[in-house]
Amino acid sequence: MGRRIFDNIKKAIAYIFAIHVPIAGMSLIPVLLKWPLVLSPVHIVFLELIIDPACSVVFEAEPEEANVMNRPPRNPQEPLFSRRTLAVSMLQGVSVLLIVFAVYAIALYRGQGESDARALTFTTLIIANLGLILTNRSWSRTILSTLRSPNTALWWVLGGRRFFWDSCLCSFFAQPIPFSALHPLDLAICLAAGAVSIIWFEGLKMFSGRQSNLLAHRGRKI
């Protein structure tokens, strides 16, 4: 249980670092480039209403990794957040920021209008946020594998995401910085962009898993 708790705390902290990179970036970059703003304070608040339950409930409820008892004892001096964990977390955040910013820049370049560009960008950011939650549930198993692991809190957060998204795009909360309604093709683009932003980490997990299996197989032969 101690190993599970330690792992889950690290996953939650990694997710916090990762998701705040694109939020900070999309709050500052448009200002520096003198482009239309994407996020208002109320939209950031709505994002935090997804982020906070994910950190405090979803990751806490995650079951232990399959190899949790095959590891050697942890060094008591080992920091909670190592350089490797920080590096992976920052890479996750930067990859999401690049994809989200690309969606925003392309939408403006195509002349879709400020409201359309904001809606596409904000929706992509929400989808990428959920992708970060799903991919950080395990650093050894893929999203498809972890979906088979029960986590009731996860589905409450995913369900709440729909309410937050509707509130931001379709209600008076969108008035400070108005968003346009999205068409099915727009939603497909946002979904694809959000998936691309975290797919490299899924590939890394698959590669690491194959390497670990290969080493274990060689060890058994020896």
Side-chain angles (χ1 to χ4, degrees):
M1 183 175 290
R3 296 187 179 199
R4 180 182 71 84
I5 293 173
F6 189 80
D7 282 351
N8 290 347
I9 291 175
K10 290 202 298 184
K11 293 173 186 176
I13 296 177
Y15 165 70
I16 291 174
F17 271 98
I19 188 54
H20 282 94
V21 172
I23 291 176
M26 293 311 299
S27 299
L28 295 174
I29 292 176
V31 175
L32 297 176
L33 298 179
K34 297 182 179 180
W35 289 6
L37 295 179
V38 178
L39 302 173
S40 72
V42 71
H43 300 133
I44 296 176
V45 168
F46 271 111
L47 287 170
E48 293 295 337
L49 289 176
I50 301 175
I51 294 169
D52 293 347
C55 296
S56 60
V57 180
V58 174
F59 288 107
E60 181 183 351
E62 278 299 306
E64 66 276 1
E65 298 281 358
N67 66 338
V68 69
M69 294 307 295
N70 295 330
R71 309 173 194 167
R74 178 174 58 86
N75 187 338
Q77 303 302 320
E78 178 186 345
L80 180 62
F81 211 62
S82 64
R83 292 181 179 179
R84 176 182 176 274
T85 305
L86 179 61
V88 172
S89 177
M90 294 301 294
L91 282 175
Q92 288 180 345
V94 170
S95 66
V96 171
L97 174 59
L98 291 176
I99 293 296
V100 172
F101 179 74
V103 170
Y104 186 50
I106 292 172
L108 290 178
Y109 177 77
R110 293 180 59 194
Q112 291 185 249
E114 296 179 11
S115 299
D116 287 346
R118 290 189 188 107
L120 286 166
T121 305
F122 186 70
T123 303
T124 302
L125 181 57
I126 290 180
I127 293 172
N129 181 16
L130 298 179
L132 285 174
I133 295 173
L134 293 174
T135 197
N136 280 299
R137 289 183 65 196
S138 174
W139 281 28
S140 61
R141 295 178 295 157
T142 64
I143 289 177
L144 294 178
S145 177
T146 57
L147 286 177
R148 294 193 291 267
S149 300
N151 190 330
T152 305
L154 171 68
W155 301 111
W156 278 102
V157 170
L158 294 181
R161 186 274 316 168
R162 178 58 188 270
F163 169 76
F164 298 145
W165 181 79
D166 289 344
S167 298
C168 285
L169 279 99
C170 307
S171 74
F172 68 92
F173 289 109
Q175 291 179 7
I177 301 182
F179 292 162
S180 297
L182 295 179
H183 303 291
L185 179 59
D186 297 325
L187 292 173
I189 292 173
C190 295
L191 182 62
V196 168
S197 67
I198 55 97
I199 198 169
W200 68 269
F201 189 59
E202 290 296 294
L204 179 63
K205 288 193 287 186
M206 293 177 64
F207 176 78
S208 299
R210 289 175 181 173
Q211 291 294 104
S212 298
N213 292 336
L214 180 60
L215 290 174
H217 180 68
R218 290 177 178 175
R220 285 194 295 268
K221 282 187 174 181
I222 294 174

